[in-house]
């Protein structure tokens, strides 16, 4: 079985943020991710992580909140200065927290100018922080209308064009299902580019168990392919988080 992480922005929300790392550890998770940690002082989050003894696998950039704010600036023509400002802030948090990956969000945009902007910004970010692993993630436009990076083939093209060793794919099986309807086939085509994996059930984006995505088969495929990264539960629990974590055992 893969190593599982808990997305603390979506799981254990019945607890204060700084108590969630310990709850994730007690539930059996081996790591955590936090979408946007910027509302809490970084040193307090780091202390909570250290007390729990869990690594922080991933944070997102940019800082705006994820419940209605902007969805990134990396592909927004004319937004280069905002992107660079936000990336530097994310980088500072990643260094304080020991975050293994920063997910660079593209934002709502479209067309060739957006593609070229995305590529330039990613190349700048990868060169600015060559020791910091970065990811990009295709996100379905049902959940995030207008999001630029809405296709796995486009992500592959961008990764190949940038060609940075510290830039990789973030593979979310829920988004893959909504984009292609074929999680296993999409992984077969693009999984070799992935440095981080996220999961949620479909329909409903609840626990990754049952539903239309065969997660036992997907996890077995990750093992057989030698995937060495974490698999993070990024879903909305149907009830209390602890009542629905049987999928990690």
């Amino acid at each position: 079985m893969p190593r599982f992480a808990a997305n603390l922005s979506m799981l254990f929300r019945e607890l204060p943020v700084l108590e969630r790392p310990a709850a994730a550890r007690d539930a059996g998770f081996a790591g955590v991710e936090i979408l946007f940690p910027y509302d809490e002082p970084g040193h307090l989050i780091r202390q909570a992580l250290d007390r729990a003894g869990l690594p922080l696998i991933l944070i997102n950039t940019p800082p705006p909140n994820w419940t209605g704010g902007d969805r990134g600036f990396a592909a927004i023509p004319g937004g280069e200065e905002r992107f660079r400002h936000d990336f530097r802030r994310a980088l500072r948090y990643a260094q304080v927290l020991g975050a293994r990956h920063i997910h660079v969000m593209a934002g709502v945009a479209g067309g060739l100018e957006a593609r070229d902007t995305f590529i330039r910004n990613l190349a700048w970010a990868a060169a600015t922080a060559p020791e910091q692993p970065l990811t990009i993630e295709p996100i379905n436009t049902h959940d995030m209308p207008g999001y630029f990076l809405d296709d796995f083939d486009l992500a592959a093209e961008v990764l190949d064009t940038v060609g940075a060793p510290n830039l990789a794919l973030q593979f979310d099986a829920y988004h893959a299902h909504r984009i292609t309807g074929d999680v296993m086939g999409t992984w077969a085509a693009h999984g070799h580019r992935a440095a981080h994996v996220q999961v949620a059930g479909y329909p409903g984006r609840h626990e990754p168990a049952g539903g239309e995505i065969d997660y036992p088969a997907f996890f077995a495929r990750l093992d057989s392919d030698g995937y060495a990264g974490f698999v993070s539960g990024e879903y909305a629990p149907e009830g209390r988080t602890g009542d629905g974590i049987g999928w990690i055992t």
Side-chain angles (χ1 to χ4, degrees):
M1 292 288 281
R3 293 178 297 168
F4 293 112
N7 183 307
L8 298 186
S9 299
M10 299 183 72
L11 305 188
F12 302 104
R13 289 176 61 84
E14 57 269 23
L15 297 172
V17 171
L18 297 180
E19 295 180 18
R20 295 176 196 173
R25 174 202 61 205
D26 293 345
F29 289 98
V32 298
E33 65 179 29
I34 303 173
L35 296 181
F36 298 104
Y38 309 100
D39 290 337
E40 300 286 342
H43 72 281
L44 295 182
I45 299 175
R46 180 59 184 263
Q47 289 172 7
L49 293 168
D50 290 345
R51 286 195 299 270
L54 294 182
L56 180 63
I57 309 305
L58 178 137
I59 65 173
N60 283 357
T61 184
N65 71 74
W66 63 289
T67 56
D70 292 304
R71 303 299 183 154
F73 296 94
I76 308 300
E80 290 84 356
E81 287 305 312
R82 176 63 187 270
F83 168 74
R84 293 186 178 197
H85 174 272
D86 287 348
F87 179 80
R88 290 189 180 102
R89 187 181 182 200
L91 184 60
R92 291 194 298 270
Y93 261 79
Q95 292 168 343
V96 169
L97 301 178
R100 297 191 181 183
H101 303 285
I102 296 176
H103 167 212
V104 180
M105 297 192 73
V108 175
L112 290 177
E113 187 178 2
R115 173 192 174 276
D116 292 343
T117 301
F118 193 40
I119 288 169
R120 286 195 304 271
N121 280 332
L122 289 171
W124 173 87
T128 297
E131 303 302 318
Q132 174 64 59
L134 310 175
T135 64
I136 58 172
E137 175 191 14
I139 296 176
N140 80 84
T141 53
H142 175 84
D143 287 7
M144 202 172 290
Y147 193 73
F148 172 74
L149 191 61
D150 62 352
D151 180 84
F152 282 86
D153 291 336
L154 175 59
E157 177 189 341
V158 168
L159 290 170
D160 287 348
T161 301
V162 176
N166 58 328
L167 179 64
L169 178 68
Q170 183 170 319
F171 186 97
D172 187 307
Y174 166 82
H175 289 301
H177 181 75
R178 295 215 69 156
I179 292 169
T180 72
D182 181 8
V183 172
M184 299 295 276
T186 306
W187 176 264
H190 299 289
H192 63 285
R193 304 176 184 276
H196 186 58
V197 171
Q198 294 170 322
V199 293
Y202 184 86
R205 204 173 186 181
H206 299 307
E207 284 78 358
E212 296 183 11
I213 304 173
D214 186 347
Y215 275 114
F218 180 59
F219 296 153
R221 177 62 184 269
L222 296 182
D223 287 342
S224 68
D225 285 353
Y227 171 72
F230 276 80
V231 173
S232 183
E234 189 191 39
Y235 60 89
E238 290 199 84
R240 289 180 63 85
T241 302
D243 294 336
I245 57 171
W247 63 274
I248 71 172
T249 60

